[in-house]
Short mmCIF file of all heavy atoms in Angstrom, two decimals:
data_model
loop_
_atom_site.label_atom_id
_atom_site.label_comp_id
_atom_site.label_asym_id
_atom_site.label_seq_id
_atom_site.Cartn_x
_atom_site.Cartn_y
_atom_site.Cartn_z
N GLU A 165 -5.80 -0.65 18.64
CA GLU A 165 -5.25 0.36 19.55
C GLU A 165 -3.89 0.84 19.06
O GLU A 165 -3.58 2.04 19.11
CB GLU A 165 -5.13 -0.23 20.96
CG GLU A 165 -6.47 -0.36 21.68
CD GLU A 165 -6.34 -1.06 23.03
OE1 GLU A 165 -5.63 -2.10 23.11
OE2 GLU A 165 -6.92 -0.59 24.01
N PHE A 166 -3.05 -0.07 18.60
CA PHE A 166 -1.75 0.33 18.04
C PHE A 166 -1.94 1.26 16.84
O PHE A 166 -1.27 2.28 16.72
CB PHE A 166 -0.95 -0.91 17.64
CG PHE A 166 0.02 -1.38 18.70
CD1 PHE A 166 -0.40 -1.65 20.00
CD2 PHE A 166 1.36 -1.55 18.41
CE1 PHE A 166 0.47 -2.09 20.97
CE2 PHE A 166 2.26 -1.98 19.37
CZ PHE A 166 1.82 -2.25 20.66
N ASP A 167 -2.87 0.89 15.96
CA ASP A 167 -3.12 1.71 14.76
C ASP A 167 -3.60 3.11 15.15
O ASP A 167 -3.13 4.12 14.60
CB ASP A 167 -4.15 1.04 13.86
CG ASP A 167 -3.60 -0.21 13.17
OD1 ASP A 167 -2.37 -0.30 13.00
OD2 ASP A 167 -4.41 -1.08 12.82
N ASN A 168 -4.53 3.17 16.08
CA ASN A 168 -5.10 4.46 16.47
C ASN A 168 -4.10 5.36 17.19
O ASN A 168 -4.10 6.58 17.01
CB ASN A 168 -6.32 4.25 17.36
CG ASN A 168 -7.48 3.60 16.63
OD1 ASN A 168 -7.51 3.57 15.40
ND2 ASN A 168 -8.42 3.05 17.38
N LEU A 169 -3.25 4.75 18.01
CA LEU A 169 -2.35 5.54 18.86
C LEU A 169 -1.06 5.95 18.16
O LEU A 169 -0.51 7.01 18.44
CB LEU A 169 -1.99 4.73 20.12
CG LEU A 169 -3.10 4.52 21.15
CD1 LEU A 169 -2.69 3.46 22.16
CD2 LEU A 169 -3.41 5.84 21.86
N LEU A 170 -0.58 5.09 17.26
CA LEU A 170 0.79 5.27 16.78
C LEU A 170 0.90 5.84 15.37
O LEU A 170 2.00 6.20 14.94
CB LEU A 170 1.53 3.93 16.85
CG LEU A 170 1.65 3.33 18.26
CD1 LEU A 170 2.29 1.96 18.20
CD2 LEU A 170 2.45 4.25 19.17
N GLY A 171 -0.18 5.89 14.64
CA GLY A 171 -0.13 6.49 13.31
C GLY A 171 0.92 5.86 12.42
O GLY A 171 0.92 4.63 12.21
N ASN A 172 1.86 6.66 11.92
CA ASN A 172 2.88 6.16 11.00
C ASN A 172 3.83 5.15 11.64
O ASN A 172 4.49 4.39 10.93
CB ASN A 172 3.69 7.33 10.43
CG ASN A 172 2.85 8.23 9.55
OD1 ASN A 172 1.85 7.80 8.97
ND2 ASN A 172 3.25 9.50 9.44
N ASP A 173 3.92 5.17 12.98
CA ASP A 173 4.81 4.23 13.67
C ASP A 173 4.15 2.88 13.94
O ASP A 173 4.79 1.96 14.45
CB ASP A 173 5.26 4.82 15.01
CG ASP A 173 6.20 6.00 14.84
OD1 ASP A 173 6.93 6.02 13.82
OD2 ASP A 173 6.21 6.89 15.72
N ALA A 174 2.87 2.76 13.62
CA ALA A 174 2.12 1.54 13.98
C ALA A 174 2.71 0.31 13.32
O ALA A 174 2.85 -0.75 13.96
CB ALA A 174 0.65 1.70 13.62
N SER A 175 3.05 0.41 12.06
CA SER A 175 3.57 -0.76 11.34
C SER A 175 4.86 -1.27 11.97
O SER A 175 5.03 -2.48 12.20
CB SER A 175 3.80 -0.41 9.87
OG SER A 175 4.34 -1.51 9.17
N LEU A 176 5.78 -0.36 12.28
CA LEU A 176 7.04 -0.74 12.92
C LEU A 176 6.79 -1.34 14.29
O LEU A 176 7.37 -2.38 14.65
CB LEU A 176 7.96 0.48 13.03
CG LEU A 176 9.26 0.28 13.82
CD1 LEU A 176 10.14 -0.77 13.16
CD2 LEU A 176 10.00 1.62 13.97
N ALA A 177 5.92 -0.72 15.07
CA ALA A 177 5.63 -1.20 16.43
C ALA A 177 5.01 -2.58 16.41
O ALA A 177 5.37 -3.45 17.22
CB ALA A 177 4.70 -0.22 17.14
N LYS A 178 4.10 -2.81 15.47
CA LYS A 178 3.47 -4.14 15.38
C LYS A 178 4.48 -5.20 14.98
O LYS A 178 4.42 -6.33 15.46
CB LYS A 178 2.30 -4.09 14.39
CG LYS A 178 1.10 -3.31 14.92
CD LYS A 178 -0.13 -3.43 14.06
CE LYS A 178 0.00 -2.69 12.74
NZ LYS A 178 -1.27 -2.72 11.96
N GLN A 179 5.41 -4.81 14.13
CA GLN A 179 6.45 -5.75 13.73
C GLN A 179 7.38 -6.07 14.90
O GLN A 179 7.71 -7.23 15.16
CB GLN A 179 7.26 -5.14 12.57
CG GLN A 179 8.32 -6.06 12.00
CD GLN A 179 9.06 -5.38 10.85
OE1 GLN A 179 9.10 -4.17 10.74
NE2 GLN A 179 9.66 -6.19 9.98
N LEU A 180 7.80 -5.04 15.62
CA LEU A 180 8.72 -5.24 16.74
C LEU A 180 8.09 -6.05 17.87
O LEU A 180 8.74 -6.91 18.47
CB LEU A 180 9.17 -3.88 17.29
CG LEU A 180 10.17 -3.08 16.47
CD1 LEU A 180 10.34 -1.70 17.06
CD2 LEU A 180 11.52 -3.80 16.44
N TYR A 181 6.81 -5.76 18.18
CA TYR A 181 6.16 -6.34 19.34
C TYR A 181 5.23 -7.51 19.00
O TYR A 181 4.48 -7.98 19.85
CB TYR A 181 5.38 -5.26 20.10
CG TYR A 181 6.27 -4.28 20.84
CD1 TYR A 181 5.93 -2.93 20.91
CD2 TYR A 181 7.42 -4.70 21.48
CE1 TYR A 181 6.73 -2.02 21.60
CE2 TYR A 181 8.23 -3.81 22.16
CZ TYR A 181 7.89 -2.47 22.22
OH TYR A 181 8.68 -1.59 22.90
N HIS A 182 5.27 -7.95 17.75
CA HIS A 182 4.51 -9.13 17.31
C HIS A 182 3.01 -8.99 17.57
O HIS A 182 2.37 -9.89 18.12
CB HIS A 182 5.06 -10.40 17.98
CG HIS A 182 6.50 -10.66 17.67
ND1 HIS A 182 7.54 -10.10 18.38
CD2 HIS A 182 7.07 -11.41 16.71
CE1 HIS A 182 8.70 -10.51 17.88
NE2 HIS A 182 8.45 -11.29 16.86
N ILE A 183 2.48 -7.84 17.20
CA ILE A 183 1.06 -7.55 17.40
C ILE A 183 0.27 -8.06 16.20
O ILE A 183 0.61 -7.75 15.05
CB ILE A 183 0.83 -6.05 17.59
CG1 ILE A 183 1.71 -5.49 18.73
CG2 ILE A 183 -0.64 -5.74 17.83
CD1 ILE A 183 1.46 -6.11 20.09
N LYS A 184 -0.79 -8.81 16.46
CA LYS A 184 -1.59 -9.41 15.39
C LYS A 184 -3.06 -8.99 15.51
O LYS A 184 -3.56 -8.72 16.61
CB LYS A 184 -1.51 -10.94 15.46
CG LYS A 184 -0.09 -11.49 15.31
CD LYS A 184 -0.10 -13.00 15.48
CE LYS A 184 1.30 -13.59 15.35
NZ LYS A 184 1.30 -15.04 15.58
N LYS A 185 -3.72 -8.98 14.37
CA LYS A 185 -5.15 -8.64 14.36
C LYS A 185 -5.95 -9.63 15.18
O LYS A 185 -6.88 -9.26 15.91
CB LYS A 185 -5.66 -8.60 12.92
CG LYS A 185 -7.11 -8.13 12.81
CD LYS A 185 -7.54 -7.98 11.36
CE LYS A 185 -8.96 -7.44 11.26
NZ LYS A 185 -9.38 -7.23 9.86
N THR A 186 -5.60 -10.90 15.08
CA THR A 186 -6.31 -11.95 15.83
C THR A 186 -5.80 -12.09 17.25
O THR A 186 -6.36 -12.85 18.05
CB THR A 186 -6.15 -13.30 15.11
OG1 THR A 186 -4.75 -13.57 14.95
CG2 THR A 186 -6.82 -13.29 13.75
N GLY A 187 -4.73 -11.35 17.57
CA GLY A 187 -4.14 -11.43 18.90
C GLY A 187 -3.06 -12.50 18.94
O GLY A 187 -3.16 -13.53 18.28
N ASN A 188 -2.02 -12.26 19.72
CA ASN A 188 -0.99 -13.29 19.91
C ASN A 188 -1.20 -14.06 21.20
O ASN A 188 -0.42 -14.94 21.55
CB ASN A 188 0.41 -12.69 19.86
CG ASN A 188 0.68 -11.68 20.99
OD1 ASN A 188 0.07 -11.72 22.05
ND2 ASN A 188 1.62 -10.76 20.74
#
């Protein structure tokens, strides 16, 4: 969902919010 919604910002958002493929 992060990847689909945020485009170029996805990487930064995942880093900031600790988003993982397997889930946190």
